[in-house]
Amino acid sequence: MKHLIVATLFICKIVCTQAQDFSKTMNKAFLITRMAEKFHLQPRTLNDTLSRDLFTVFLKELDEHHTIFLADDIRRLSAYQFQLDEAITKRSTDFLTLASSIYAQRIRQNDSLVNIICKTAFNFFIADNIIIKDTSYAASVAAKQVR
């Protein structure tokens, strides 16, 4: 489990940085998995189960409250859900490249949404309650703005 967390945090850190060299990142991920396989007391096998868990933690770390990605983004990224183990073994950068580009695009959109929302003056004298029951990803940027 520690291996999963370390690898996930490492990949999240790399995705969030501006200057990325994904081939170096995948080489490091490969080395981490090999070292964990060799030296960990209870190593997890690099398989579809680990890949799914890594994908789940990856999304949770990047977008825990489902405010960044859209439903279509998750659908596109989910194509790699059971392929991350092979990506690490083959040192493929396809998933990181896609995730990074989508994430950067959505962060820019969220920044624009904040600017749009902040143009309307806040009325601090109105009682306000926030109840968030919908934990799904927004279907569109307009739906995200409403949310």
Side-chain angles (χ1 to χ4, degrees):
M1 188 62 174
K2 194 179 246 186
H3 161 67
L4 174 66
I5 293 169
V6 169
T8 301
L9 292 176
F10 180 76
I11 291 172
C12 288
K13 178 184 173 208
I14 298 303
V15 168
C16 294
T17 59
Q18 289 294 337
Q20 299 145 346
D21 184 358
F22 292 129
S23 60
K24 285 183 181 178
T25 301
M26 291 312 293
N27 283 332
K28 289 177 183 178
F30 178 78
L31 289 173
I32 289 170
T33 57
R34 293 297 164 229
M35 287 174 55
E37 195 175 272
K38 186 174 181 179
F39 298 113
H40 199 281
L41 292 175
Q42 295 176 324
R44 289 186 64 184
T45 336
L46 196 58
N47 58 19
D48 287 349
T49 304
L50 179 67
S51 184
R52 183 197 64 222
D53 294 346
L54 183 60
F55 181 80
T56 302
V57 173
F58 179 83
L59 284 181
K60 183 179 179 198
E61 291 293 321
L62 283 182
D63 191 10
E64 182 176 7
H65 300 290
H66 301 182
T67 56
I68 297 173
F69 291 117
L70 299 178
D72 187 53
D73 300 335
I74 299 303
R75 183 190 54 74
R76 288 174 55 200
L77 293 172
S78 291
Y80 293 93
Q81 181 175 6
F82 296 105
Q83 298 175 1
L84 295 179
D85 55 324
E86 289 108 15
I88 290 170
T89 304
K90 295 176 183 175
R91 300 176 182 115
S92 170
T93 62
D94 296 344
F95 174 73
L96 288 179
T97 304
L98 178 64
S100 177
S101 66
I102 292 173
Y103 190 76
Q105 176 187 7
R106 296 302 175 219
I107 291 294
R108 284 190 302 273
Q109 284 178 344
N110 281 3
D111 189 46
S112 297
L113 286 178
V114 167
N115 290 334
I116 291 168
I117 292 168
C118 287
K119 286 182 181 178
T120 306
F122 289 105
N123 185 347
F124 294 104
F125 299 105
I126 297 175
D128 198 11
N129 292 329
I130 297 176
I131 300 172
I132 301 175
K133 291 183 181 180
D134 184 11
T135 59
S136 64
Y137 290 94
S140 66
V141 176
K144 190 189 298 188
Q145 183 176 355
V146 169
R147 187 184 282 180

